[in-house]
Amino acid sequence: MWEIIRTATPEIVWAGLKYTIPIAVISFAIGLVIAAITALVRTSTPRGNRVVKGLWYLGRAVFTFYVWLFRSTPLLVQLFIVFFGLPNLGIQFDAWTAGIITFSLNTGAYASETIRGAISSLPTSQWEAAYSLGMTYHQVLFLVIFPQALRVALPPLSNSFIGLVKDTSLASSITILEMFMVSQQIASHNYQPLLMYSIVAAVYAVFCTILTILQHALEKRMSRYVVAEGE
């Protein structure tokens, strides 16, 4: 048993560093961009003539539908649709690209609700005070609102990233050679599925524990200028 652990663990860890973590980081970064745009469109008030307002409301409807769709369907089904289903329409991606696209869209849908809630939680007096200083809409948004919303949204966004790291195990279903698939392949040779799945579970736990420690450190740093109530 110890020999299996000694030889299999480095392979699983290497697969995590080579595939699992990069997939999670890239997907989360793209997902955050999608989430920020989606949240901004859904929370801002349209300005301009009727045509501009009409296009804005149309965009808002599209983003609302997108959020509803990806929050209402399983991630595994989304992966299968992108990788196995879209080729029937002439749209084909390799496994890595299909995984990045699916994880990014799924993350963007959930993260957009986190960012939207963080923006909505800020009092309107923040906007009014900034406007009274002569700031433009974009200045208020990027210099006043977003920095505060980021601090509010940081804990749930960090939890989403940790969850995404674990969700990448589903990438094995579309042939991406990440940690879980490596453990399956090794188990098919040594006929020790319980041991191999226990090892990969332990590796996931170590990765997520490290990310949790980094999350707490980042939250502490982001809150260093916040005065505790009563001080």
Side-chain angles (χ1 to χ4, degrees), residues 54-231:
L55 292 174
W56 192 272
Y57 283 120
L58 176 61
R60 179 180 292 180
V62 171
F63 279 113
T64 300
F65 175 78
Y66 150 68
V67 172
W68 168 81
L69 179 64
F70 277 85
R71 282 166 53 90
S72 303
T73 53
L75 178 56
L76 182 61
V77 174
Q78 296 166 13
L79 281 168
F80 273 47
I81 289 175
V82 173
F83 186 66
F84 296 111
L86 290 184
N88 290 337
L89 301 178
I91 304 173
Q92 189 165 0
F93 302 105
D94 58 77
W96 177 273
T97 304
I100 293 293
I101 290 174
T102 307
F103 287 129
S104 298
L105 291 174
N106 184 273
T107 298
Y110 282 93
S112 69
E113 288 295 275
T114 300
I115 296 175
R116 185 178 69 86
I119 293 175
S120 301
S121 68
L122 299 178
T124 56
S125 58
Q126 296 286 326
W127 294 86
E128 296 169 354
Y131 284 137
S132 68
L133 296 175
M135 300 177 71
T136 64
Y137 172 79
H138 292 92
Q139 287 176 326
V140 177
L141 186 64
F142 292 105
L143 298 179
V144 178
I145 301 301
F146 266 4
Q148 296 182 79
L150 178 60
R151 186 179 63 82
V152 175
L154 181 60
L157 288 178
S158 300
N159 291 335
S160 296
F161 178 67
I162 294 173
L164 178 60
V165 171
K166 294 181 289 184
D167 288 341
T168 56
S169 61
L170 296 175
S172 62
S173 64
I174 58 172
T175 71
I176 295 180
L177 198 64
E178 47 70 61
M179 290 196 300
F180 184 62
M181 188 171 187
V182 169
S183 69
Q184 288 180 308
Q185 291 179 342
I186 298 175
S188 67
H189 289 88
N190 61 22
Y191 304 104
Q192 295 289 336
L194 177 59
L195 178 59
M196 295 312 306
Y197 297 152
S198 298
I199 293 173
V200 75
V203 174
Y204 272 113
V206 171
F207 280 5
C208 292
T209 300
I210 294 173
L211 292 173
T212 301
I213 293 172
L214 294 175
Q215 172 191 350
H216 292 160
L218 184 59
E219 289 178 14
K220 185 177 180 179
R221 180 171 179 81
M222 291 289 292
S223 302
R224 66 190 184 279
Y225 296 120
V226 178
V227 180
E229 184 179 356
E231 289 188 359

Side-chain angles (χ1 to χ4, degrees), residues 9-69:
T9 302
E11 292 186 47
I12 294 175
V13 172
W14 174 243
L17 296 175
K18 187 177 181 180
Y19 294 104
T20 300
I21 297 300
I23 289 175
V25 171
I26 296 172
S27 299
F28 192 72
I30 298 174
L32 279 184
V33 175
I34 297 172
I37 296 173
T38 302
L40 184 59
V41 171
R42 297 185 67 196
T43 56
S44 59
T45 302
R47 302 183 180 189
N49 55 40
R50 291 184 177 180
V51 176
V52 174
K53 289 183 177 180
L55 292 174
W56 192 272
Y57 283 120
L58 176 61
R60 179 180 292 180
V62 171
F63 279 113
T64 300
F65 175 78
Y66 150 68
V67 172
W68 168 81
L69 179 64

